Amino acid sequence: MSAWSTHHWNRRSVLRTAMGLAAAGGLTACGGNTGRDGGGPGAGKRLVQYFHAYGEAGTEQAVRRYAEAYEKADVTTQWITGSNFESKLFASLLTDKAPDVFEFHPQIQLVRSGQVADLTDLVEPVKDDFNPADIRSHTVDGKIYGVRMIDDPQFFFYRRSMFEKAGVGVPATLDELLATAAELTTDKVKGIYLGNTLHPVVNPMIWASGADTLDEKNEIAYHTDGVVEGFRTLRKLFTSGDLLLDAPTDFWDPSALNQGLTAIQWCGMWAMPQMQQALGDDLGIFPFPKVTAAGRPAVTNGGWSMFVNAKGENVEAAKEYVKWLWIDQKEYQEDWALSYGFHIPPRTSIAESADKLKSGLPAEGVRLFNEFGHFDNIGWTQAMITALEDVLADCVRKGGDPERALDKADATVGRELRKLFG
Protein backbone atom coordinates (compact mmCIF):
# COMPACT_ATOMS: atom_id res chain seq x y z
CA MET A 1 0.00 0.00 0.00
CA SER A 2 1.21 3.32 -0.96
CA ALA A 3 2.81 6.11 0.95
CA TRP A 4 6.11 5.08 2.42
CA SER A 5 6.12 1.38 1.75
CA THR A 6 9.86 1.29 2.13
CA HIS A 7 12.36 3.21 4.24
CA HIS A 8 12.33 6.29 2.02
CA TRP A 9 11.00 8.96 4.31
CA ASN A 10 13.08 11.91 5.46
CA ARG A 11 14.48 9.83 8.27
CA ARG A 12 16.90 10.08 11.12
CA SER A 13 18.08 7.30 13.35
CA VAL A 14 15.34 5.91 15.56
CA LEU A 15 16.97 6.93 18.81
CA ARG A 16 17.93 10.39 17.59
CA THR A 17 14.41 10.95 16.27
CA ALA A 18 12.74 9.70 19.42
CA MET A 19 14.96 11.55 21.88
CA GLY A 20 14.64 14.82 19.99
CA LEU A 21 10.86 14.92 20.04
CA ALA A 22 8.41 15.89 22.70
CA ALA A 23 6.37 13.11 24.18
CA ALA A 24 3.42 12.40 21.95
CA GLY A 25 0.98 11.63 24.69
CA GLY A 26 -1.97 13.11 22.80
CA LEU A 27 -1.69 10.58 20.02
CA THR A 28 -3.47 7.78 21.72
CA ALA A 29 -7.17 8.21 22.22
CA CYS A 30 -8.65 5.14 23.81
CA GLY A 31 -12.08 4.11 22.67
CA GLY A 32 -14.77 3.08 25.07
CA ASN A 33 -14.47 -0.38 26.55
CA THR A 34 -17.02 -2.59 24.89
CA GLY A 35 -16.79 -5.07 27.73
CA ARG A 36 -15.85 -7.86 25.34
CA ASP A 37 -14.79 -10.98 27.14
CA GLY A 38 -14.02 -13.94 24.96
CA GLY A 39 -11.64 -15.51 27.46
CA GLY A 40 -7.86 -15.78 27.19
CA PRO A 41 -5.13 -13.20 27.76
CA GLY A 42 -7.05 -10.47 25.93
CA ALA A 43 -10.28 -10.78 27.88
CA GLY A 44 -11.60 -7.36 28.86
CA LYS A 45 -8.45 -5.64 27.61
CA ARG A 46 -8.16 -2.42 25.66
CA LEU A 47 -5.48 -2.44 22.97
CA VAL A 48 -4.19 0.36 20.77
CA GLN A 49 -2.67 -0.21 17.34
CA TYR A 50 -0.81 2.27 15.13
CA PHE A 51 -1.04 2.37 11.34
CA HIS A 52 0.36 4.94 8.95
CA ALA A 53 -2.24 6.47 6.62
CA TYR A 54 -2.25 4.36 3.47
CA GLY A 55 -3.15 6.18 0.29
CA GLU A 56 -5.69 3.73 -1.12
CA ALA A 57 -9.37 4.32 -0.50
CA GLY A 58 -10.94 1.90 1.95
CA THR A 59 -7.79 0.97 3.87
CA GLU A 60 -8.63 2.79 7.08
CA GLN A 61 -12.15 1.37 7.07
CA ALA A 62 -10.77 -2.12 6.53
CA VAL A 63 -8.36 -1.90 9.46
CA ARG A 64 -11.12 -0.67 11.75
CA ARG A 65 -13.48 -3.37 10.47
CA TYR A 66 -10.97 -6.11 11.30
CA ALA A 67 -10.45 -4.69 14.80
CA GLU A 68 -14.19 -4.45 15.41
CA ALA A 69 -14.58 -8.12 14.56
CA TYR A 70 -12.16 -9.15 17.31
CA GLU A 71 -14.13 -10.32 20.33
CA LYS A 72 -11.44 -10.82 22.98
CA ALA A 73 -10.42 -7.19 23.41
CA ASP A 74 -11.45 -3.66 22.53
CA VAL A 75 -8.98 -2.58 19.84
CA THR A 76 -8.57 1.13 19.06
CA THR A 77 -6.84 2.14 15.83
CA GLN A 78 -4.69 5.25 15.55
CA TRP A 79 -4.51 6.15 11.84
CA ILE A 80 -1.47 8.43 11.61
CA THR A 81 -1.70 10.90 8.74
CA GLY A 82 1.09 12.93 7.17
CA SER A 83 4.68 11.97 6.42
CA ASN A 84 5.86 11.80 10.03
CA PHE A 85 4.49 8.41 11.07
CA GLU A 86 7.92 7.23 12.15
CA SER A 87 8.52 10.25 14.36
CA LYS A 88 5.14 9.95 16.04
CA LEU A 89 5.51 6.23 16.53
CA PHE A 90 8.93 6.38 18.14
CA ALA A 91 8.09 9.39 20.25
CA SER A 92 5.03 7.57 21.56
CA LEU A 93 7.07 4.46 22.38
CA LEU A 94 8.93 6.54 24.98
CA THR A 95 5.71 7.33 26.83
CA ASP A 96 3.05 5.52 28.82
CA LYS A 97 0.70 6.16 25.87
CA ALA A 98 2.61 3.83 23.59
CA PRO A 99 0.66 1.51 21.28
CA ASP A 100 0.37 -2.17 22.10
CA VAL A 101 0.67 -3.13 18.44
CA PHE A 102 2.25 -1.17 15.58
CA GLU A 103 3.29 -1.59 11.99
CA PHE A 104 6.83 -0.90 10.86
CA HIS A 105 9.77 -2.54 9.07
CA PRO A 106 12.13 -5.13 10.58
CA GLN A 107 15.10 -3.34 12.12
CA ILE A 108 17.49 -4.93 14.57
CA GLN A 109 17.74 -2.01 16.97
CA LEU A 110 14.11 -2.61 17.90
CA VAL A 111 15.12 -6.12 18.94
CA ARG A 112 18.36 -5.16 20.69
CA SER A 113 16.58 -2.47 22.73
CA GLY A 114 13.87 -4.91 23.81
CA GLN A 115 11.20 -2.80 22.14
CA VAL A 116 9.52 -5.59 20.15
CA ALA A 117 8.30 -8.91 21.47
CA ASP A 118 9.48 -12.30 20.31
CA LEU A 119 6.68 -13.73 18.14
CA THR A 120 8.30 -17.06 17.33
CA ASP A 121 5.55 -19.01 19.07
CA LEU A 122 2.96 -17.31 16.83
CA VAL A 123 4.77 -17.74 13.53
CA GLU A 124 6.57 -21.06 13.98
CA PRO A 125 3.50 -23.30 13.44
CA VAL A 126 2.83 -21.66 10.06
CA LYS A 127 6.39 -20.63 9.16
CA ASP A 128 6.48 -22.89 6.11
CA ASP A 129 3.49 -21.02 4.67
CA PHE A 130 5.38 -17.69 4.67
CA ASN A 131 7.79 -16.54 2.01
CA PRO A 132 11.13 -17.77 3.42
CA ALA A 133 12.75 -14.40 2.67
CA ASP A 134 10.16 -12.67 4.85
CA ILE A 135 10.95 -15.05 7.70
CA ARG A 136 14.70 -14.44 7.34
CA SER A 137 14.23 -10.67 7.32
CA HIS A 138 12.43 -10.83 10.69
CA THR A 139 14.75 -13.29 12.42
CA VAL A 140 17.47 -12.51 14.96
CA ASP A 141 19.41 -15.27 16.74
CA GLY A 142 16.84 -17.83 15.66
CA LYS A 143 13.85 -15.87 16.99
CA ILE A 144 11.16 -14.24 14.84
CA TYR A 145 10.14 -10.66 15.56
CA GLY A 146 7.16 -9.33 13.63
CA VAL A 147 4.60 -10.77 11.22
CA ARG A 148 4.74 -9.66 7.61
CA MET A 149 1.39 -8.33 6.39
CA ILE A 150 2.16 -7.42 2.74
CA ASP A 151 5.04 -7.57 0.29
CA ASP A 152 5.28 -4.50 -1.95
CA PRO A 153 7.55 -4.82 -4.99
CA GLN A 154 8.71 -1.59 -6.57
CA PHE A 155 9.90 -1.14 -10.14
CA PHE A 156 9.65 1.24 -13.10
CA PHE A 157 6.25 1.83 -14.71
CA TYR A 158 6.19 3.28 -18.22
CA ARG A 159 3.83 4.50 -20.93
CA ARG A 160 4.01 2.08 -23.86
CA SER A 161 2.66 4.63 -26.34
CA MET A 162 5.39 7.11 -25.46
CA PHE A 163 8.05 4.45 -25.95
CA GLU A 164 6.59 3.53 -29.33
CA LYS A 165 6.37 7.15 -30.44
CA ALA A 166 10.00 7.76 -29.47
CA GLY A 167 11.12 4.49 -31.05
CA VAL A 168 12.79 3.19 -27.88
CA GLY A 169 12.74 -0.16 -26.12
CA VAL A 170 12.95 -1.19 -22.48
CA PRO A 171 16.43 -0.30 -21.17
CA ALA A 172 18.65 -3.13 -19.95
CA THR A 173 21.36 -0.98 -18.33
CA LEU A 174 21.45 2.26 -16.35
CA ASP A 175 23.25 3.97 -19.22
CA GLU A 176 20.47 2.85 -21.56
CA LEU A 177 17.92 4.21 -19.07
CA LEU A 178 19.52 7.65 -19.32
CA ALA A 179 19.54 7.49 -23.11
CA THR A 180 15.91 6.35 -23.14
CA ALA A 181 14.87 9.18 -20.80
CA ALA A 182 16.54 11.66 -23.14
CA GLU A 183 14.62 10.32 -26.13
CA LEU A 184 11.33 10.48 -24.22
CA THR A 185 11.73 14.03 -22.93
CA THR A 186 9.73 16.73 -24.73
CA ASP A 187 8.78 20.29 -23.89
CA LYS A 188 5.77 18.92 -21.99
CA VAL A 189 6.93 15.53 -20.66
CA LYS A 190 10.03 14.56 -18.70
CA GLY A 191 11.57 11.21 -19.53
CA ILE A 192 11.70 9.79 -16.00
CA TYR A 193 10.66 10.35 -12.38
CA LEU A 194 12.46 8.83 -9.38
CA GLY A 195 10.53 10.56 -6.60
CA ASN A 196 11.13 14.02 -5.18
CA THR A 197 13.92 12.91 -2.84
CA LEU A 198 15.40 10.27 -5.19
CA HIS A 199 15.77 8.10 -2.07
CA PRO A 200 13.72 5.16 -3.40
CA VAL A 201 16.41 4.21 -5.92
CA VAL A 202 19.41 4.13 -3.57
CA ASN A 203 19.09 0.45 -2.66
CA PRO A 204 18.03 -0.85 -6.09
CA MET A 205 20.98 0.99 -7.62
CA ILE A 206 23.31 -0.70 -5.13
CA TRP A 207 21.85 -4.12 -5.90
CA ALA A 208 21.90 -3.51 -9.65
CA SER A 209 25.60 -2.67 -9.29
CA GLY A 210 26.27 -6.21 -8.09
CA ALA A 211 26.72 -5.05 -4.49
CA ASP A 212 24.59 -5.12 -1.33
CA THR A 213 24.03 -2.97 1.72
CA LEU A 214 25.60 -5.49 4.12
CA ASP A 215 27.11 -8.91 3.52
CA GLU A 216 26.34 -12.17 5.34
CA LYS A 217 28.73 -11.18 8.12
CA ASN A 218 26.95 -7.86 8.63
CA GLU A 219 29.86 -5.92 7.19
CA ILE A 220 29.78 -3.05 4.68
CA ALA A 221 29.11 -4.34 1.17
CA TYR A 222 27.97 -1.21 -0.69
CA HIS A 223 31.31 0.57 -1.14
CA THR A 224 32.34 -0.83 -4.52
CA ASP A 225 33.53 0.55 -7.85
CA GLY A 226 30.15 -0.40 -9.33
CA VAL A 227 28.23 1.64 -6.76
CA VAL A 228 30.55 4.60 -7.32
CA GLU A 229 29.83 4.30 -11.04
CA GLY A 230 26.10 4.12 -10.31
CA PHE A 231 26.13 7.35 -8.29
CA ARG A 232 28.07 9.10 -11.03
CA THR A 233 25.56 7.94 -13.61
CA LEU A 234 22.67 9.18 -11.47
CA ARG A 235 24.42 12.55 -11.28
CA LYS A 236 24.42 12.66 -15.09
CA LEU A 237 20.69 11.96 -15.05
CA PHE A 238 20.07 14.62 -12.39
CA THR A 239 21.78 17.30 -14.49
CA SER A 240 20.45 16.12 -17.87
CA GLY A 241 17.14 17.97 -17.85
CA ASP A 242 15.37 14.66 -18.48
CA LEU A 243 14.49 13.97 -14.83
CA LEU A 244 11.19 15.21 -13.38
CA LEU A 245 11.89 17.13 -10.19
CA ASP A 246 9.48 18.50 -7.58
CA ALA A 247 6.36 16.69 -8.78
CA PRO A 248 3.07 17.53 -6.99
CA THR A 249 3.13 14.15 -5.23
CA ASP A 250 5.95 11.77 -4.35
CA PHE A 251 6.99 8.47 -5.95
CA TRP A 252 4.40 6.37 -4.11
CA ASP A 253 1.54 8.18 -5.84
CA PRO A 254 0.96 7.35 -9.55
CA SER A 255 -0.16 10.86 -10.51
CA ALA A 256 3.07 11.85 -12.28
CA LEU A 257 2.71 8.98 -14.76
CA ASN A 258 -1.08 9.01 -14.94
CA GLN A 259 -1.21 12.74 -15.71
CA GLY A 260 1.46 12.59 -18.39
CA LEU A 261 4.14 14.52 -16.48
CA THR A 262 6.63 11.72 -17.14
CA ALA A 263 7.03 8.68 -19.36
CA ILE A 264 8.70 6.49 -16.71
CA GLN A 265 8.08 6.45 -12.95
CA TRP A 266 9.54 4.46 -10.10
CA CYS A 267 6.57 3.31 -8.03
CA GLY A 268 5.09 0.33 -6.21
CA MET A 269 2.80 -2.47 -7.27
CA TRP A 270 0.23 -1.06 -4.85
CA ALA A 271 -0.55 1.69 -7.40
CA MET A 272 -1.01 -0.67 -10.34
CA PRO A 273 -4.85 -0.71 -10.21
CA GLN A 274 -4.97 3.10 -10.25
CA MET A 275 -2.55 3.19 -13.16
CA GLN A 276 -4.47 0.56 -15.10
CA GLN A 277 -7.71 2.44 -14.52
CA ALA A 278 -6.16 5.63 -15.86
CA LEU A 279 -3.99 4.20 -18.65
CA GLY A 280 -5.50 0.84 -19.59
CA ASP A 281 -3.09 -1.22 -21.70
CA ASP A 282 -0.75 1.76 -22.15
CA LEU A 283 1.26 0.57 -19.15
CA GLY A 284 4.34 -1.60 -18.76
CA ILE A 285 6.88 -2.37 -16.04
CA PHE A 286 10.56 -3.22 -15.84
CA PRO A 287 13.09 -3.62 -13.00
CA PHE A 288 15.88 -1.23 -12.12
CA PRO A 289 18.37 -2.05 -14.90
CA LYS A 290 21.83 -3.37 -14.15
CA VAL A 291 24.50 -0.74 -13.55
CA THR A 292 27.58 -2.79 -14.35
CA ALA A 293 28.35 -5.95 -16.30
CA ALA A 294 28.63 -7.75 -12.97
CA GLY A 295 25.26 -6.44 -11.82
CA ARG A 296 21.75 -7.63 -12.52
CA PRO A 297 18.29 -6.03 -12.54
CA ALA A 298 16.79 -5.23 -9.15
CA VAL A 299 13.34 -4.94 -7.62
CA THR A 300 12.79 -3.46 -4.16
CA ASN A 301 10.46 -5.39 -1.90
CA GLY A 302 8.94 -2.89 0.46
CA GLY A 303 6.00 -3.74 2.64
CA TRP A 304 4.89 -3.57 6.24
CA SER A 305 5.00 -5.86 9.24
CA MET A 306 3.12 -5.98 12.52
CA PHE A 307 4.99 -5.81 15.82
CA VAL A 308 4.05 -6.11 19.48
CA ASN A 309 5.36 -3.55 21.94
CA ALA A 310 7.34 -5.65 24.40
CA LYS A 311 7.37 -2.79 26.90
CA GLY A 312 3.60 -2.41 26.95
CA GLU A 313 1.25 -3.51 29.70
CA ASN A 314 -0.71 -5.97 27.54
CA VAL A 315 1.95 -8.00 25.75
CA GLU A 316 0.16 -11.34 25.84
CA ALA A 317 -3.18 -9.83 24.87
CA ALA A 318 -1.49 -7.96 22.01
CA LYS A 319 0.21 -11.15 20.82
CA GLU A 320 -3.12 -12.96 20.84
CA TYR A 321 -4.67 -10.22 18.72
CA VAL A 322 -1.80 -10.27 16.22
CA LYS A 323 -2.09 -14.04 15.97
CA TRP A 324 -5.83 -13.83 15.41
CA LEU A 325 -5.62 -11.19 12.68
CA TRP A 326 -2.32 -11.81 10.87
CA ILE A 327 -1.98 -15.58 11.35
CA ASP A 328 -5.48 -17.05 11.65
CA GLN A 329 -7.74 -14.76 9.60
CA LYS A 330 -6.70 -15.57 6.04
CA GLU A 331 -9.82 -13.89 4.65
CA TYR A 332 -8.78 -10.56 6.15
CA GLN A 333 -5.16 -11.06 5.09
CA GLU A 334 -6.23 -11.62 1.48
CA ASP A 335 -8.60 -8.65 1.64
CA TRP A 336 -5.80 -6.43 2.94
CA ALA A 337 -3.37 -7.51 0.22
CA LEU A 338 -5.66 -7.44 -2.80
CA SER A 339 -8.72 -5.24 -2.28
CA TYR A 340 -7.08 -1.81 -1.91
CA GLY A 341 -4.28 -1.94 -4.46
CA PHE A 342 -2.13 -4.90 -5.49
CA HIS A 343 0.28 -6.44 -3.00
CA ILE A 344 1.78 -9.89 -2.81
CA PRO A 345 0.55 -11.81 0.23
CA PRO A 346 3.52 -13.10 2.25
CA ARG A 347 1.54 -16.29 2.95
CA THR A 348 2.28 -18.70 0.11
CA SER A 349 -1.13 -20.35 0.28
CA ILE A 350 -2.86 -16.98 -0.16
CA ALA A 351 -0.50 -15.78 -2.88
CA GLU A 352 -0.96 -18.95 -4.92
CA SER A 353 -4.74 -18.65 -4.84
CA ALA A 354 -4.84 -14.91 -5.62
CA ASP A 355 -6.62 -14.75 -9.00
CA LYS A 356 -5.93 -11.01 -9.35
CA LEU A 357 -2.19 -11.73 -9.54
CA LYS A 358 -2.32 -14.62 -12.02
CA SER A 359 -2.49 -12.81 -15.37
CA GLY A 360 -1.51 -9.65 -17.19
CA LEU A 361 0.61 -6.93 -15.62
CA PRO A 362 0.10 -8.13 -12.02
CA ALA A 363 1.49 -11.54 -12.99
CA GLU A 364 4.48 -9.80 -14.58
CA GLY A 365 4.98 -7.90 -11.32
CA VAL A 366 4.99 -11.17 -9.39
CA ARG A 367 7.51 -12.63 -11.85
CA LEU A 368 9.86 -9.67 -11.45
CA PHE A 369 9.44 -9.87 -7.68
CA ASN A 370 10.33 -13.56 -7.64
CA GLU A 371 13.28 -13.19 -10.02
CA PHE A 372 14.86 -9.91 -8.93
CA GLY A 373 13.33 -9.00 -5.55
CA HIS A 374 15.44 -7.90 -2.57
CA PHE A 375 13.98 -8.04 0.93
CA ASP A 376 14.59 -6.08 4.12
CA ASN A 377 17.90 -6.63 5.86
CA ILE A 378 17.06 -6.43 9.55
CA GLY A 379 20.59 -5.21 10.27
CA TRP A 380 20.24 -2.18 7.98
CA THR A 381 19.16 0.48 10.46
CA GLN A 382 17.75 3.99 10.35
CA ALA A 383 21.16 5.64 10.74
CA MET A 384 22.56 3.51 7.93
CA ILE A 385 19.65 4.37 5.65
CA THR A 386 20.21 8.06 6.33
CA ALA A 387 23.95 7.73 5.72
CA LEU A 388 23.38 6.39 2.18
CA GLU A 389 20.68 8.98 1.50
CA ASP A 390 23.27 11.60 2.46
CA VAL A 391 25.66 10.10 -0.10
CA LEU A 392 23.00 10.55 -2.76
CA ALA A 393 22.36 14.14 -1.69
CA ASP A 394 26.08 14.90 -1.76
CA CYS A 395 27.17 13.32 -5.04
CA VAL A 396 23.95 13.26 -7.09
CA ARG A 397 22.27 16.53 -6.09
CA LYS A 398 25.41 18.55 -5.30
CA GLY A 399 27.99 16.94 -7.58
CA GLY A 400 30.33 15.80 -4.81
CA ASP A 401 32.85 12.97 -5.11
CA PRO A 402 31.17 9.57 -4.54
CA GLU A 403 34.30 7.99 -3.06
CA ARG A 404 34.59 10.72 -0.45
CA ALA A 405 30.86 10.61 0.30
CA LEU A 406 30.97 6.82 0.70
CA ASP A 407 33.99 7.08 3.00
CA LYS A 408 31.93 9.37 5.23
CA ALA A 409 29.03 6.93 5.14
CA ASP A 410 31.40 4.07 6.01
CA ALA A 411 32.30 5.82 9.27
CA THR A 412 28.65 6.20 10.26
CA VAL A 413 27.66 2.69 9.22
CA GLY A 414 30.74 1.23 10.90
CA ARG A 415 29.84 2.81 14.22
CA GLU A 416 26.33 1.44 13.97
CA LEU A 417 27.60 -2.06 13.14
CA ARG A 418 29.97 -2.04 16.09
CA LYS A 419 27.14 -1.01 18.43
CA LEU A 420 24.86 -3.73 17.14
CA PHE A 421 27.22 -6.60 16.42
CA GLY A 422 30.44 -5.84 18.31
Side-chain angles (χ1 to χ4, degrees), residues 32 39 43 48 59 63 104 128 146 149 172 177 223 230 252 272 295 395 403 413:
V48 175
T59 49
V63 166
F104 201 60
D128 292 343
M149 300 183 293
L177 181 64
H223 196 154
W252 47 265
M272 192 179 286
C395 59
E403 284 285 5
V413 174

Side-chain angles (χ1 to χ4, degrees), residues 89-374:
L89 169 64
F90 283 97
S92 74
L93 289 174
L94 296 177
T95 75
D96 59 1
K97 300 295 186 181
D100 301 287
V101 176
F102 60 90
E103 65 170 2
F104 201 60
H105 315 286
Q107 294 198 356
I108 197 168
Q109 73 271 25
L110 293 173
V111 177
R112 296 281 193 243
S113 66
Q115 187 67 70
V116 293
D118 174 7
L119 303 184
T120 307
D121 56 333
L122 275 60
V123 180
E124 187 69 38
V126 294
K127 184 173 71 173
D128 292 343
D129 190 38
F130 275 86
N131 187 316
D134 277 323
I135 296 296
R136 286 194 299 272
S137 67
H138 291 70
T139 300
V140 177
D141 298 330
K143 296 180 179 179
I144 303 170
Y145 298 84
V147 181
R148 195 65 153 189
M149 300 183 293
I150 46 174
D151 284 324
D152 270 338
Q154 297 171 31
F155 22 65
F156 283 115
F157 291 78
Y158 70 96
R159 298 282 296 269
R160 295 182 185 274
S161 60
M162 292 183 181
F163 271 52
E164 292 170 3
K165 184 176 181 179
V168 296
V170 173
T173 68
L174 187 56
D175 286 333
E176 289 182 11
L177 181 64
L178 266 65
T180 299
E183 292 293 330
L184 292 165
T185 298
T186 70
D187 58 347
K188 296 181 179 179
V189 179
K190 291 294 186 180
I192 190 169
Y193 179 51
L194 304 178
N196 289 331
T197 65
L198 311 185
H199 293 165
V201 299
V202 172
N203 280 10
M205 186 275 287
I206 291 171
W207 298 321
S209 303
D212 207 340
T213 51
L214 302 174
D215 62 18
E216 294 179 353
K217 297 180 180 179
N218 288 310
E219 296 175 349
I220 290 171
Y222 57 79
H223 196 154
T224 67
D225 291 343
V227 171
V228 169
E229 180 182 336
F231 277 120
R232 286 182 174 145
T233 304
L234 288 177
R235 172 62 180 174
K236 293 178 185 177
L237 176 60
F238 185 77
T239 58
S240 67
D242 304 320
L243 179 66
L244 176 64
L245 300 170
D246 300 322
T249 58
D250 212 341
F251 85 101
W252 47 265
D253 184 278
S255 297
L257 192 76
N258 287 357
Q259 295 176 6
L261 302 180
T262 185
I264 306 171
Q265 177 178 340
W266 184 263
C267 194
M269 191 167 168
W270 60 78
M272 192 179 286
Q274 290 175 266
M275 291 183 178
Q276 288 181 311
Q277 183 177 4
L279 305 175
D281 294 333
D282 189 24
L283 183 65
I285 56 175
F286 62 90
F288 196 99
K290 65 180 183 179
V291 176
T292 65
R296 67 192 303 264
V299 169
T300 300
N301 176 40
W304 293 85
S305 306
M306 189 57 62
F307 298 90
V308 169
N309 179 11
K311 298 180 180 181
E313 297 180 357
N314 301 307
V315 175
E316 291 306 314
K319 287 177 62 175
E320 184 169 342
Y321 173 65
V322 169
K323 177 182 182 298
W324 174 83
L325 181 51
W326 299 111
I327 299 292
D328 299 338
Q329 302 301 314
K330 284 191 172 185
E331 180 180 350
Y332 290 153
Q333 294 160 40
E334 181 175 3
D335 179 66
W336 186 239
L338 298 168
S339 296
Y340 316 97
F342 287 159
H343 318 267
I344 299 178
R347 299 287 292 272
T348 304
S349 58
I350 299 175
E352 289 179 345
S353 64
D355 290 337
K356 292 180 180 179
L357 303 181
K358 289 183 177 179
S359 62
L361 206 61
E364 176 66 6
V366 172
R367 184 189 71 79
L368 293 178
F369 167 82
N370 289 332
E371 187 171 355
F372 301 120
H374 291 262

Side-chain angles (χ1 to χ4, degrees), residues 26-30 48-52 64 76-80 85:
L27 286 174
T28 303
C30 293
V48 175
Q49 60 178 354
Y50 270 24
F51 278 78
H52 83 279
R64 295 186 187 280
T76 297
T77 301
Q78 290 297 311
W79 192 256
I80 310 299
F85 170 73

